[in-house]
Amino acid sequence: MTDQTSPDAEILEQNLNKINDLTKRMMAALADRKSHSPNLETPDHQFYAKAAAAYFAEMMSDPSRIIEAQVGYWTESLKNWSEIQQQMAGTVEEKDSEPTKDKRFKHENWEKNPYFKMIKQQYLLSSKTIETITKDMSHLPEREREKVNFFAKQVVDMFAPTNFLASNPDALERAMETNGQSLVDGLQNFVADLESNQQGIAVRLADPDAFVVGKDIATTPGSVVFQNRMFQLIQYSPSTSKVYKKPLLITPPWINKFYILDLRPENSLIKYAVDQGHTVFVVSWVNPDASYADCGFDTYLEEGLLVAINKVLEITRQKSANVAGYCIGGTLLACAMAYLTAIGEDKKVNKATFFTTMTDFKNPGELGNFLEPGFLKGIRAQVEETGYLESYFMSRAFSFLRARDLVYAPAVRSYMMGEAPPAFDLLQWNADSTNLPGRMAVEYLQKLYVDNELVEGKFELLGEKIRLAQINRPIFAVSTIQDHIAPWASTFRGLTKTGGERTFILSESGHIAGIVNPASKDKYGHWHNPEPPRDPEFWLENATYVKESWWHRWSEWLAKGEEKTTPARKPGNKNNPEIEPAPGSYVLKPGV
């Protein structure tokens, strides 16, 4: 460690007393935690049994690969130990090392201090060895190998030395500098997080009080013009004197709240669309509780999107509308379009836009690693008990897709360094998640993710088999190249199952930042290929990269064939009067 002044003994003692008091609160919070199925915490025993059996089968059939990895580990360990001994004895000349790309090991003591250097080198060596052994286990099917690799990586990330106080030089240095105040603040943060969620610990990624919904974020002017038990329909006030004839309806995911598309004015897709001259409507889904246990995917279609489309057409006196769906909201839109085609009402959708939308779940990406039989069993048990799936469980699953950035790094900053979470609108939205109705949660994971019924034409809603091939309206689909939730190649393959004019755009960045990519900043570019979507790899090889937000291209596509000739529409009409100002009251309901 670098030299530090001696800690103030009196202040240090006061902080230790504070830690004792906080520890009592922590124990009380732990005792008050709700019980839930252990299957929601870890893969079931069958998964571990398969992995163990495959490992031993690998040793029997190809022992050289395992032995080679182990010998390599021993050899490198001895080499590391020898270098550390020389460094401690001062018999090796100190060399300027290359800056590490791993941001966990930026502190100078990871190189200069023998203790920390040995820990780091052994951790990285162990990580590499585990990866080598698990990545090519030939006695497992490809999907099972992916799961083994995923959970092996989860274990490796969990045991990073930076996650523990005794082996984190940044945290130890900070504790010395503050006479232990950082540890007091960190424990205070930990206890506060623990007390705020009875299901388990969920580190706060952003200051929950930095932005107020309706005041600092979700501020685009408008009004709720309709509501039922499933959603509120918001119509936004025009900002242009003339608007396009066709209205634009946006259906967001109900796993999160709609205002991801209406954060601050400078990064609001909703405001951007209004300013372009569109009459914009947005579905604000209810945050369900136990009374919604009977609601399934069909309920979101029948009482949700189909009602919203009809209301938009009624209010604007149009026969068709442009409709956009984000994530699972896009999956619902695809189902709605196929259903409307089946009953002869497909012309109600003029043009359709899909943001990071999965319809083919054959390769669901990293999220599919959680869909073990035991995990699904745990979800069923949970929803049978409560009637709904609490937001904590899905939110935690999504966080562990990027555990280093969304779990461990924030935990280190908050609990070890004692730092307050930052003021970040996007991360505050991320923490403001929603519950899922019990029946819908099970249907969604089992029928779509596991059984892939939608793309195979087996998914039935409201008495109709949903067939993607029936969709024959113009489509604009946007996916993101670093998406951990809806892998772009999978969204692409789902698009190939539909008919009609199809435009596919691949944005830089991930599931959220690649979509919330303001045209005024052009932070992330995109790839475009005018050829009809067939094969994702071939499409990308022949695509053109454009260094600007896809918002520009989408705006042009929406406006193609239309002019702003309609007088600006105020929210609501005689039969659908304004109920309350946007963003409405449904979005303010917290998770249970």
Side-chain angles (χ1 to χ4, degrees):
M1 298 288 290
T2 55
D3 292 336
Q4 303 290 333
T5 57
S6 300
D8 186 301
E10 183 177 349
I11 296 177
L12 188 59
E13 184 177 357
Q14 291 175 356
N15 284 333
L16 290 173
N17 290 332
K18 292 178 183 178
I19 289 176
N20 288 334
D21 292 338
L22 287 168
T23 301
K24 294 177 182 177
R25 281 178 55 192
M26 179 184 70
M27 298 306 295
L30 288 171
D32 197 38
R33 288 179 66 182
K34 292 181 180 178
S35 62
H36 53 258
S37 172
N39 287 318
L40 290 172
E41 300 288 349
T42 180
D44 65 8
H45 67 280
Q46 293 181 355
F47 171 81
Y48 294 109
K50 288 180 186 177
Y55 175 78
F56 285 112
E58 198 81 10
M59 287 187 64
M60 297 298 293
S61 63
D62 188 11
S64 61
R65 189 174 76 85
I66 305 297
I67 293 173
E68 183 180 353
Q70 291 178 338
V71 171
Y73 175 81
W74 298 333
T75 302
E76 289 299 315
S77 294
L78 289 173
K79 182 180 177 182
N80 288 340
W81 179 247
S82 176
E83 289 180 357
I84 295 300
Q85 291 280 22
Q86 293 178 50
Q87 183 177 348
M88 293 175 65
T91 59
V92 62
E93 185 177 339
E94 188 172 313
K95 300 178 182 179
D96 292 331
S97 57
E98 295 183 7
T100 178
K101 295 181 180 179
D102 192 330
K103 56 187 177 183
R104 295 174 297 179
F105 302 110
K106 291 293 186 183
H107 196 286
E108 63 178 11
N109 278 332
W110 288 116
E111 285 296 325
K112 292 186 176 181
N113 185 296
Y115 167 74
F116 290 113
K117 186 173 184 179
M118 182 66 181
I119 290 174
K120 181 196 76 171
Q121 289 180 333
Q122 284 302 113
Y123 168 73
L124 294 176
L125 175 60
S126 298
S127 303
K128 182 180 178 181
T129 304
I130 291 172
E131 180 184 356
T132 299
I133 291 175
T134 60
K135 72 177 182 178
D136 292 317
M137 299 181 75
S138 59
H139 289 78
L140 284 176
E142 181 180 358
R143 192 72 195 93
E144 296 297 322
R145 288 202 303 272
E146 291 174 359
K147 290 180 181 180
V148 169
N149 292 335
F150 175 81
F151 285 108
K153 184 176 182 298
Q154 293 292 318
V155 172
V156 166
D157 286 344
M158 180 175 63
F159 283 103
T162 47
N163 296 340
F164 303 91
L165 179 62
S167 52
N168 187 321
D170 291 280
L172 290 171
E173 189 173 272
R174 180 67 177 158
M176 294 292 290
E177 291 173 346
T178 62
N179 294 301
Q181 185 62 49
S182 61
L183 300 180
V184 175
D185 294 340
L187 186 55
Q188 176 71 55
N189 291 341
F190 177 77
V191 172
D193 287 350
L194 198 59
E195 291 175 337
S196 67
N197 193 330
Q198 289 185 311
Q199 288 293 356
I201 185 67
V203 61
R204 284 173 295 173
L205 301 178
D207 181 356
D209 301 318
F211 301 98
V212 177
V213 177
K215 180 180 178 181
D216 307 299
I217 49 181
T219 59
T220 302
S223 299
V224 174
V225 294
F226 172 81
Q227 67 182 34
N228 62 16
R229 70 165 181 155
M230 296 304 297
F231 73 99
Q232 287 187 319
L233 182 65
I234 301 171
Q235 181 180 354
Y236 290 92
S237 302
S239 62
T240 57
S241 60
K242 299 286 186 179
V243 296
Y244 293 108
K245 182 183 295 185
K246 302 294 183 185
L248 171 63
L249 170 64
I250 301 175
T251 174
W254 54 90
I255 294 175
N256 300 99
K257 296 184 178 179
F258 83 89
Y259 67 87
I260 184 58
L261 299 175
D262 188 31
L263 293 170
R264 290 168 291 118
E266 56 266 33
N267 60 0
S268 169
L269 180 63
I270 289 172
K271 183 179 186 302
Y272 173 80
V274 170
D275 290 343
Q276 297 302 302
H278 296 283
T279 303
V280 180
F281 294 79
V282 169
V283 171
S284 175
W285 297 107
V286 72
N287 193 355
D289 54 26
S291 66
Y292 288 81
D294 66 320
C295 293
F297 213 88
D298 53 355
T299 316
Y300 279 86
L301 179 62
E302 184 177 26
E303 298 182 37
L305 184 53
L306 294 182
V307 173
I309 291 173
N310 289 332
K311 281 295 174 182
V312 167
L313 299 182
E314 177 187 333
I315 291 171
T316 60
R317 297 181 180 179
Q318 292 296 303
K319 294 182 179 180
S320 65
N322 297 321
V323 187
Y326 192 175
C327 191
I328 190 177
T331 308
L332 181 67
L333 173 57
C335 292
M337 293 174 70
Y339 175 78
L340 289 172
T341 302
I343 64 173
E345 297 182 8
D346 60 306
K347 296 299 191 294
K348 285 184 176 180
V349 176
N350 180 52
K351 295 179 179 179
T353 301
F354 296 104
F355 303 145
T356 63
T357 294
M358 294 273 286
T359 52
D360 184 346
F361 294 82
K362 181 179 180 181
N363 296 301
E366 293 183 349
L367 186 60
N369 293 308
F370 289 102
L371 300 180
E372 282 288 310
F375 182 73
L376 293 174
K377 181 180 178 181
I379 286 180
R380 288 192 182 94
Q382 189 70 20
V383 301
E384 285 176 6
E385 178 182 346
T386 62
Y388 61 96
L389 183 64
E390 290 190 34
S391 59
Y392 168 78
F393 296 108
M394 288 302 292
S395 178
R396 183 183 61 178
F398 288 132
S399 294
F400 273 95
L401 298 182
R402 295 175 54 202
R404 284 193 193 181
D405 297 327
L406 296 180
V407 179
Y408 301 119
V412 167
R413 289 193 297 268
S414 182
Y415 305 151
M416 290 192 205
M417 305 296 288
E419 297 177 5
F424 192 176
D425 57 351
L426 193 152
L427 288 180
Q428 183 168 326
W429 163 85
N430 186 68
D432 189 15
S433 52
T434 55
N435 306 318
L436 295 178
R439 182 164 71 89
M440 179 269 147
V442 173
E443 285 178 348
Y444 178 51
L445 296 175
Q446 183 65 55
K447 292 186 176 182
L448 296 187
Y449 268 94
V450 176
D451 298 335
N452 202 17
E453 287 189 2
L454 179 55
V455 79
E456 294 180 4
K458 299 177 181 179
F459 193 49
E460 185 173 323
L461 292 173
L462 308 182
E464 297 287 343
K465 289 287 182 64
I466 302 301
R467 303 187 187 281
L468 298 176
Q470 291 181 313
I471 298 174
N472 197 34
R473 308 304 295 162
I475 291 175
F476 188 101
V478 186
S479 293
T480 59
I481 198 165
Q482 296 175 353
D483 200 325
H484 295 271
I485 297 171
W488 80 267
S490 292
T491 66
F492 185 100
R493 291 189 176 95
L495 185 63
T496 65
K497 306 298 192 299
T498 65
E501 171 202 322
R502 293 162 295 174
T503 300
F504 184 80
I505 299 296
L506 183 61
S507 174
E508 288 183 304
S509 195
H511 191 74
I512 302 300
I515 299 300
V516 184
N517 182 21
S520 60
K521 296 182 179 179
D522 289 329
K523 183 176 181 180
Y524 300 113
H526 68 273
W527 289 266
H528 172 252
N529 186 338
E531 291 297 316
R534 294 188 179 90
D535 176 77
E537 287 74 22
F538 181 81
W539 181 94
L540 184 57
E541 287 175 5
N542 294 277
T544 301
Y545 175 77
V546 182
K547 183 52 184 172
E548 66 176 23
S549 169
W550 59 267
W551 288 19
H552 302 282
R553 193 181 297 274
W554 179 57
S555 180
E556 294 173 1
W557 179 83
L558 275 179
K560 186 178 180 180
E562 286 200 68
E563 294 182 2
K564 287 182 279 187
T565 58
T566 303
R569 303 176 175 110
K570 294 182 180 180
N573 62 9
K574 182 178 180 180
N575 295 327
N576 300 277
E578 299 175 70
I579 298 173
E580 60 184 356
S585 54
Y586 282 20
V587 74
L588 301 178
K589 183 180 178 182
V592 178

